[in-house]
Amino acid sequence: NAGVTQTPKFQVLKTGQSMTLQCAQDMNHNSMYWYRQDPGMGLRLIYYSASEGTTDKGEVPNGYNVSRLNKREFSLRLESAAPSQTSVYFCAGQQGAGEQFFGPGTRLTVL
Amino acid sequence: AQSVTQLGSHVSVSEGALVLLRCNYSSSVPPYLFWYVQYPNQGLQLLLKYTTGATLVKGINGFEAEFKKSETSFHLTKPSAHMSDAAEYFCAVSDSSNTGKLIFGQGTTLQVKP
């Protein structure tokens, strides 16, 4: 089992460009999450999906959109990237109220 | 609303010394509590968790944590630090809405000196 995978691992964008971060899990998790990690701020929740077909905003949703394509996949889209979105992005999956399993992360730089 | 406070953004210990990373939380309901570790350029990995039952929880790599309801604390300890323990550690509490969401602390970077 691959667990939670994320693509790409690294990305550099120019201000105003768009891109989609991909996340897939093979652990049969119902819930999936997108976080951003910035120095000194821990992990902040962007969006989450409690089940296939549902999505909800987290703490910092502005500038992002998500799609829960099916049970396995949960993508994060930046429509018009801004330098403030330079961060490390993590996807996670979860079954019930137990632990979350994290992907390896995507390092995004917006110039 | 739930919150998590980790005291000390950086902790430095000598190899073989006790490791103590502090975590205090606020929660309006009985919490689920977690400690995660992040090695450089990697994702987060679960160290241990408390859900119900025994308040002293043992995790991987010799770490343990004790849930103290009266002190709203969940401090992480390890009797003897190893160089490989150098990493960033995050404490997290479950959201009271029962959605499974986690609220993370700011993280503590552990440095282990030879």
Side-chain angles (χ1 to χ4, degrees), chain A residues 42-110:
Chain A
L43 275 76
R44 292 183 292 168
L45 183 64
I46 305 171
Y47 271 93
Y48 69 101
S49 170
S51 62
E52 184 179 351
T54 68
T55 61
D56 285 287
K57 295 178 180 179
E59 181 185 356
V60 288
N62 291 346
Y64 305 95
N65 285 300
V66 290
S67 295
R68 184 75 182 269
L69 305 170
N70 47 55
K71 189 170 187 178
R72 289 189 63 249
E73 299 172 290
F74 188 39
S75 62
L76 178 72
R77 182 159 179 85
L78 287 70
E79 290 291 352
S80 179
S84 60
Q85 294 178 304
T86 293
S87 188
V88 182
Y89 292 85
F90 288 101
C91 177
Q94 182 184 43
Q95 189 63 30
E99 68 181 279
Q100 292 184 10
F101 291 84
F102 286 80
T106 295
R107 293 185 175 272
L108 175 66
T109 301
V110 183

Side-chain angles (χ1 to χ4, degrees), chain A residues 2-72:
Chain A
V4 180
T5 58
Q6 293 182 235
T7 55
K9 286 187 167 55
F10 302 93
Q11 184 71 48
V12 179
L13 294 177
K14 295 181 179 178
T15 297
Q17 287 185 316
S18 62
M19 79 162 295
T20 300
L21 282 65
Q22 306 286 354
C23 174
Q25 52 93 6
D26 61 3
M27 305 176 78
N28 203 35
H29 290 154
N30 286 329
S31 301
M32 297 184 73
Y33 302 82
W34 275 106
Y35 296 92
R36 61 177 290 171
Q37 182 180 23
D38 302 290
M41 303 189 75
L43 275 76
R44 292 183 292 168
L45 183 64
I46 305 171
Y47 271 93
Y48 69 101
S49 170
S51 62
E52 184 179 351
T54 68
T55 61
D56 285 287
K57 295 178 180 179
E59 181 185 356
V60 288
N62 291 346
Y64 305 95
N65 285 300
V66 290
S67 295
R68 184 75 182 269
L69 305 170
N70 47 55
K71 189 170 187 178
R72 289 189 63 249

